[in-house]
Amino acid sequence: MAGDLVLGAAIATVIDRRPKDRRPFAVQAFAERLLGEVWKRIHTKLEGVQLAYKTAVATDREFVRGKADGITNLSLALSRQAIEEAAGDEGDEA
């Protein structure tokens, strides 16, 4: 399997370097098929990191401005809920 992962990474790299209109398939879809559940866990963790970054930026802006942005807070709360639900689904399957 390690050989397949290395080959898959090489294929993804070559395809990803092409212009979008010249790619024979989407690299993300390829990664999802190649890695399956591992890809889903990695993707969920990455979304968590992105959410943490957005939350930190929103908190900083709130501190500087002295007032909260309701739309940003709602967006972050919905993102947090979606990530928690996705992470919860993993725990049920394992």
Side-chain angles (χ1 to χ4, degrees):
M1 176 140 182
D4 292 341
L5 292 178
V6 172
L7 178 60
I11 291 170
T13 300
V14 170
I15 298 301
D16 196 46
R17 288 181 180 168
R18 292 178 164 200
K20 288 188 178 189
D21 61 335
R22 304 278 317 233
R23 295 178 186 169
F25 51 83
V27 175
Q28 182 173 350
F30 177 70
E32 288 174 8
R33 292 191 90 182
L34 181 67
L35 297 174
E37 283 300 314
V38 173
W39 173 256
K40 290 178 186 176
R41 287 195 310 266
I42 291 170
H43 190 68
T44 301
K45 300 261 184 216
L46 179 59
E47 286 177 341
V49 170
Q50 291 171 335
L51 176 62
Y53 171 76
K54 289 177 184 178
T55 301
V57 169
T59 302
D60 182 59
R61 285 184 185 150
E62 183 177 335
F63 177 76
V64 170
R65 293 180 185 164
K67 62 179 180 176
D69 180 6
I71 298 295
T72 300
N73 289 343
L74 177 62
S75 174
L76 293 173
L78 291 173
S79 295
R80 187 174 296 108
Q81 181 182 2
I83 291 170
E84 288 172 359
E85 287 175 2
D89 290 344
E90 289 175 8
D92 294 342
E93 292 175 4

